């Protein structure tokens, strides 16, 4: 990610409807699989918002890595200590170090080796441990937001499944997510691509309270739906895997 994207993330991610909604889903999913005493890795921790969220929910034994010194400095501004510089292609921990790994919007970045990264995740995960993954959907949705955050590839659900299955993960669940707002987002992204503006901009920016609350409400509703069934399409893909 570029520096300006990290700055926007640090400034907005604690209250941004997208981040709060997706973290709520991750936490609700993870807490049904593990206790709050287990050792967790936030892979690609960014500016520390996810770690802060989980710590507030009682997960004290949580660690984070990111390949950006800029991101790590923001984590420390939040008072988070268990963070270190590291690369998903070569995770700086010993084999079988973690009971659970959270991987939110990481594998899609430029520079991620989709052959090496899943093997590294498998290596540092304990036997019987869980992986929670979230990645952006549909390569045709690439936009100026993707340029700002240096996207390499967006995925389909089947592509995500193939990546982890061939690395011996056992699938617990896969689903699209951010479905209720998908159509207006589809239209907005297509419009942005047609206009071909030269301005790079991240979607993680200050919004009106109405827009922010709408995003959070839609994701909260979908979190309930996902307890019952998988969603057929959406802007993101969530998946849960077991070693």
């Amino acid at each position: 990610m570029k520096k300006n994207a990290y700055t926007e993330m640090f400034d907005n991610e604690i209250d941004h409807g997208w981040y709060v909604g997706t973290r709520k889903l991750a936490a609700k999913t993870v807490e049904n699989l593990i206790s709050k005493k287990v050792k967790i890795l936030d892979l690609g921790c960014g500016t520390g918002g996810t770690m802060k969220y989980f710590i507030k929910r009682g997960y004290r034994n949580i660690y984070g890595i990111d390949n950006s010194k800029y991101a790590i400095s923001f984590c420390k501004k939040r008072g988070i200590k268990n963070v270190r510089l590291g690369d998903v292609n070569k995770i700086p921990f010993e084999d079988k170090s973690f009971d659970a790994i959270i991987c939110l919007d990481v594998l899609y970045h430029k520079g991620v080796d989709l052959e090496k990264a899943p093997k590294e995740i498998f290596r540092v995960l304990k036997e019987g441990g869980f992986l929670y993954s979230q990645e952006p959907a549909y390569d045709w949705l690439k936009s100026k937001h993707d340029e700002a955050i240096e996207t390499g590839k967006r995925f389909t659900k089947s592509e995500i499944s193939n990546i982890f299955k061939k690395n011996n993960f056992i699938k617990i669940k896969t689903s699209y997510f951010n479905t209720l707002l998908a159509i207006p987002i589809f239209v907005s992204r297509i419009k942005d691509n047609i206009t071909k503006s030269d301005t790079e901009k991240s979607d993680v920016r200050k919004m009106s309270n109405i827009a922010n609350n709408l995003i959070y409400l839609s994701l909260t509703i979908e979190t309930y739906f996902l307890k019952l069934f998988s969603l057929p399409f959406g802007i993101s893909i969530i998946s849960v895997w077991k070693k």
Side-chain angles (χ1 to χ4, degrees):
M1 286 172 58
K2 297 180 179 179
K3 284 187 176 181
N4 64 314
Y6 281 117
T7 301
E8 289 177 336
M9 180 186 291
F10 180 76
D11 289 341
N12 297 299
E13 69 168 333
I14 297 301
D15 301 316
H16 195 287
W18 162 253
Y19 281 106
V20 179
T22 54
R23 286 169 186 150
K24 181 178 181 179
L25 172 59
K28 289 286 186 182
T29 304
V30 167
E31 68 188 13
N32 291 326
L33 302 172
I34 61 175
S35 76
K36 293 184 177 180
K37 296 180 180 180
V38 301
K39 191 175 180 181
I40 302 173
L41 174 64
D42 182 4
L43 192 60
C45 60
T47 61
T50 298
M51 291 184 71
K52 199 77 173 178
Y53 185 85
F54 272 77
I55 290 168
K56 285 183 177 179
R57 293 179 73 94
Y59 295 89
R60 305 297 180 184
N61 199 13
I62 185 167
Y63 295 75
I65 67 167
D66 201 280
N67 67 353
S68 167
K69 292 180 180 178
Y70 203 54
I72 297 299
S73 69
F74 278 130
C75 288
K76 291 180 178 179
K77 283 184 180 180
R78 294 200 196 280
I80 300 171
K81 297 179 180 179
N82 291 338
V83 290
R84 67 166 73 173
L85 200 64
D87 194 311
V88 66
N89 297 326
K90 192 175 181 180
I91 300 172
F93 288 100
E94 295 180 357
D95 296 358
K96 302 178 182 179
S97 292
F98 296 96
D99 300 281
I101 293 175
I102 303 165
C103 184
L104 302 183
D105 295 330
V106 173
L107 300 181
Y108 75 109
H109 282 300
K110 289 179 181 177
V112 173
D113 188 321
L114 293 177
E115 293 295 327
K116 292 180 180 179
K119 288 180 173 60
E120 280 292 281
I121 294 171
F122 192 87
R123 178 183 65 79
V124 300
L125 196 59
K126 293 179 182 179
E127 297 294 334
F130 293 95
L131 165 67
Y132 179 90
S133 169
Q134 173 186 292
E135 296 294 336
Y138 310 125
D139 226 24
W140 55 267
L141 272 181
K142 280 184 178 177
S143 66
K144 291 299 176 182
H145 168 76
D146 291 278
E147 291 182 23
I149 61 175
E150 297 186 318
T151 294
K153 176 179 174 55
R154 300 174 70 102
F155 301 92
T156 63
K157 190 172 73 169
S158 62
E159 285 173 332
I160 289 292
S161 292
N162 289 337
I163 286 169
F164 290 116
K165 281 182 178 178
K166 75 177 184 180
N167 285 283
N168 300 315
F169 285 92
I170 300 168
K171 184 171 74 172
I172 305 298
K173 185 180 183 65
T174 60
S175 177
Y176 285 102
F177 187 53
N178 197 2
T179 301
L180 295 176
L181 295 177
I183 299 302
I185 292 173
F186 289 162
V187 172
S188 175
R189 290 292 173 86
I190 292 170
K191 181 181 177 182
D192 285 347
N193 289 336
I194 290 173
T195 58
K196 296 182 178 179
S197 169
D198 291 330
T199 303
E200 291 181 357
K201 59 179 181 178
S202 166
D203 289 343
V204 187
R205 55 187 183 272
K206 192 72 174 178
M207 298 185 299
S208 69
N209 288 336
I210 293 175
N212 208 42
N213 290 336
L214 179 61
I215 292 171
Y216 176 72
L217 177 61
S218 69
L219 297 182
T220 299
I221 292 170
E222 289 182 32
T223 296
Y224 173 76
F225 286 163
L226 284 169
K227 294 179 182 178
L228 308 174
F229 51 82
S230 295
L231 300 172
F233 64 92
I235 304 302
S236 293
I237 304 159
I238 62 104
S239 59
V240 185
W241 304 87
K242 184 177 180 179
K243 178 175 176 179

